[in-house]
Amino acid sequence: MVERSDRAPLLDWEEVPSAEKPEGPAPAKDRLSSPSNSRVPAPGFGWSSGPGGPSPSRSVSNADGCSAPPATSSDPAGKDEAPHPDTEEHLPDSESRNVTLGDRMVKWEEKDQIVSVFVVTFNTRSGNMLEWCLPKDMDLEGVEFKAIASGSHRVTTDFIYFRKGGYFGLACFANMPVESTVERGARMKSVGILSPSYTLLYRYMSFLEHQVRLQLQSPGHYSPLEAFYEDKRALLPPSGDGIVTACPANAWGAAINHSMHPEMKITHPAGCMSQFIRFFGEQIMVLWKLALLRRRILIFSPPPVGVVCYRVYCCCCLANISIPGIGVAVPEFRPFFYVNVADISALENELSYVACTTEKIFEEKKDLYDVYVDNQNVKTYRDGLKPLLRLSTADREKYRKLTEQRQMLLYSQEENGDCVSSEEDLFILFFLEQNNRIFQTLSEVAGSSDPTLTQETVRAMGLDPHGDRLFLLHLLEIYGYDSLMVSDQLCCS
């Protein structure tokens, strides 16, 4: 039994966003028909966000002209009142009918679903080791190599997002100098948690950072972690398979209008997406195309790993589509976050993913990825994709517009004072609207009496008829627009 006194302090380290009831769902757009996009999406295990996951609700315009960011799944609306996922089935018929799918999904996602907490340490003789965990019977094989990334001995602190089976993890690492010959002058540990979704893990960043410092200073002091697990542990559904889904199947449809993107806090004050775009510059347009084509993208960078994990998340955001039915027939664009050599067998079976690594040996494993990103250098060994690495005229124009919109936002924030609009929402909406524009046009042409893509329709999608011809052909093939014909004018440069 854990004493209450052990539980009280940890609440000071949780980062709980202010409660904000989401607005009602925006009216859904008319469904667009396409021969290959008529399937209803089925919920995946743990993949609660990114393309194919929750799509945006409308922004709310304020009096000052700034758009309020749509409520995300990390905004609790009465967390203590959120029922167990199974409770919904036992409501009276009249009450059950009054509970919208959106409400079900919000309550499900806001429920704390921590399935494991653990401590990993570096031993000078044995290497990375799992030191302690709860529950004791949890399969954590290999987590010691995820929670302490290769090369972490070069940094003093770091945080790492990763995937472990059907779960996502967040671990905070710290490296402390010690006067110990046995430890060779340095003590390295990492404290982490597992959850079926990554959208709420950021809440516990400060708690994990505090706990890893405590573990370095007072090894073996686990009572705060025990209290944390007892307070936050997930209640697994009685299916017997030990897997928690990101949201119940009957709430999946509500994802379309629930949220634009999962909130992932970053320690950099510029924010996640804005820093991502400034880092890559115009190359962001190349990554956008590759993400929309559901390619296997591997990002290499030396430690620290945390900021690179956010680049993984941002790549997924580039491919957001909010038109119902679009993209359900293509491979899911899965964020793997940090991977190491132990993940090679898992990546071999993936058709589409985005991940990051600190291990240079991955560059030699060319069959594991389609695109390799070494810091700001985007490259591929596949001849069919090499032309996509060249920027088209339309790419440069889109990047110019994006830069202009950002400057206008910054000017508006400076002139109007406190403004709720953010660069994050601007960047996310920019690519979301671009993607919706492409597929809206493709669906309209596919349903017309003359399903032919002309230079005019390609320009209407915001693409270059000549420079983006190969990208467009890949897009038609992957998303199943087989009925569309391409004008001969697009085949000549």
Side-chain angles (χ1 to χ4, degrees):
M1 180 67 67
V2 178
E3 298 296 333
R4 178 66 182 175
S5 60
D6 285 332
R7 296 179 59 175
L10 67 88
L11 297 178
D12 296 335
W13 295 97
E14 294 174 19
E15 296 189 27
V16 181
S18 59
E20 182 179 347
K21 181 79 172 176
E23 298 292 335
K29 295 184 179 180
D30 294 335
R31 290 188 176 273
L32 302 173
S33 59
S34 177
S36 63
N37 292 332
S38 57
R39 293 204 324 235
V40 177
F45 292 121
W47 311 109
S48 66
S49 54
S55 298
S57 58
R58 300 284 183 183
S59 296
V60 181
S61 180
N62 294 318
D64 60 2
C66 296
S67 297
T72 66
S73 60
S74 56
D75 292 327
K79 182 173 65 174
D80 294 337
E81 300 174 3
H84 185 274
D86 300 329
T87 307
E88 197 65 62
E89 299 177 4
H90 305 292
L91 292 175
D93 291 341
S94 58
E95 185 177 351
S96 180
R97 283 194 296 267
N98 292 331
V99 179
T100 66
L101 290 178
D103 289 338
R104 291 177 185 175
M105 181 174 180
V106 170
K107 289 179 179 179
W108 175 276
E109 287 194 342
E110 287 163 358
K111 184 72 176 177
D112 287 310
Q113 297 184 59
I114 304 302
V115 298
S116 180
V117 58
F118 57 86
V119 178
V120 169
T121 187
F122 175 78
N123 183 283
T124 55
R125 293 183 178 180
S126 306
N128 295 0
M129 296 177 57
L130 180 64
E131 176 183 314
W132 174 90
C133 70
L134 279 179
K136 298 299 183 181
D137 58 350
M138 186 73 177
D139 178 15
L140 294 176
E141 182 181 359
V143 77
E144 64 270 25
F145 300 108
K146 296 175 180 292
I148 299 182
S150 177
S152 290
H153 61 279
R154 301 188 185 98
V155 298
T156 55
T157 60
D158 200 1
F159 62 95
I160 308 165
Y161 281 87
F162 59 90
R163 177 193 168 191
K164 167 61 179 167
Y167 300 117
F168 288 96
L170 171 62
C172 286
F173 166 84
N175 182 352
M176 183 179 76
V178 293
E179 295 182 2
S180 169
T181 305
V182 175
E183 295 177 283
R184 297 180 185 174
R187 182 178 298 159
M188 292 177 279
K189 292 183 183 288
S190 196
V191 177
I193 53 178
L194 288 182
S195 172
S197 170
Y198 64 79
T199 59
L200 296 184
L201 289 176
Y202 79 97
R203 287 184 175 186
Y204 309 111
M205 180 84 75
S206 292
F207 171 74
L208 295 176
E209 289 174 340
H210 175 66
Q211 288 303 310
V212 73
R213 289 194 296 268
L214 181 63
Q215 289 300 317
L216 289 175
Q217 296 164 3
S218 305
H221 182 58
Y222 305 123
S223 57
L225 295 175
E226 292 170 349
F228 172 84
Y229 176 71
E230 289 299 320
D231 189 51
K232 302 297 182 184
R233 65 179 176 177
L235 296 175
L236 298 177
S239 59
D241 56 13
I243 298 177
V244 180
T245 54
C247 62
N250 59 359
W252 188 257
I256 295 299
N257 291 310
H258 175 58
S259 62
M260 179 168 63
H261 56 286
E263 180 179 353
M264 289 186 69
K265 182 179 177 181
I266 192 168
T267 53
H268 192 285
C272 176
M273 198 73 180
S274 54
Q275 184 188 8
F276 174 68
I277 292 179
R278 278 199 292 271
F279 180 78
F280 283 105
E282 286 186 337
Q283 289 293 308
I284 197 71
M285 307 312 301
V286 173
L287 292 174
W288 162 66
K289 291 180 183 178
L290 296 168
L292 207 57
L293 294 177
R294 300 296 200 262
R295 295 301 177 180
R296 298 174 299 168
I297 301 174
L298 183 61
I299 304 173
F300 168 80
S301 179
V305 181
V307 68
V308 193
C309 289
Y310 282 118
R311 291 172 194 162
V312 170
Y313 156 73
C314 291
C315 274
C316 286
C317 291
L318 295 178
N320 279 341
I321 305 167
S322 66
I323 301 176
I326 299 296
V328 298
V330 300
E332 189 175 5
F333 199 45
R334 293 181 169 183
F336 265 68
F337 295 105
Y338 176 73
V339 295
N340 54 32
V341 291
D343 296 300
I344 288 179
S345 59
L347 295 179
E348 285 175 340
N349 299 318
E350 291 297 321
L351 299 175
S352 175
Y353 72 84
V354 56
C356 64
T357 187
T358 60
E359 300 185 15
K360 196 68 174 178
I361 192 173
F362 269 96
E363 186 174 7
E364 302 174 10
K365 308 290 184 181
K366 300 177 183 178
D367 57 326
L368 292 180
Y369 58 85
D370 298 317
V371 180
Y372 187 82
V373 183
D374 188 342
N375 286 307
Q376 293 158 305
N377 183 25
V378 183
K379 55 186 176 181
T380 180
Y381 296 100
R382 307 192 182 281
D383 293 337
L385 294 180
K386 287 181 180 179
L388 297 179
L389 304 187
R390 293 194 294 266
L391 291 169
S392 68
T393 303
D395 290 333
R396 291 190 168 89
E397 178 63 18
K398 281 192 283 288
Y399 184 75
R400 184 188 64 79
K401 289 181 179 179
L402 178 61
T403 304
E404 286 182 354
Q405 288 183 22
R406 176 178 175 269
Q407 293 300 327
M408 290 176 62
L409 174 64
L410 296 177
Y411 176 78
S412 176
Q413 290 175 334
E414 183 177 351
E415 290 295 309
N416 298 330
D418 186 20
C419 179
V420 294
S421 287
S422 70
E423 290 184 67
E424 297 296 290
D425 297 320
L426 183 150
F427 290 135
I428 295 288
L429 279 172
F430 181 88
F431 288 101
L432 177 73
E433 291 172 354
Q434 175 62 49
N435 297 341
N436 285 351
R437 182 181 176 187
I438 288 175
F439 290 102
Q440 180 79 35
T441 305
L442 289 177
S443 298
E444 289 174 355
V445 174
S448 66
S449 57
D450 181 18
T452 303
L453 287 174
T454 64
Q455 290 193 22
E456 288 71 25
T457 53
V458 172
R459 289 193 181 95
M461 290 187 283
L463 300 177
D464 184 338
H466 300 310
D468 289 326
R469 178 177 62 87
L470 182 61
F471 167 65
L472 184 58
L473 292 175
H474 279 297
L475 204 67
L476 297 179
E477 178 184 359
I478 290 172
Y479 287 84
Y481 287 95
D482 301 328
S483 61
L484 287 176
M485 295 178 289
V486 179
S487 170
D488 292 339
Q489 293 178 332
L490 268 65
C491 299
C492 305
S493 55

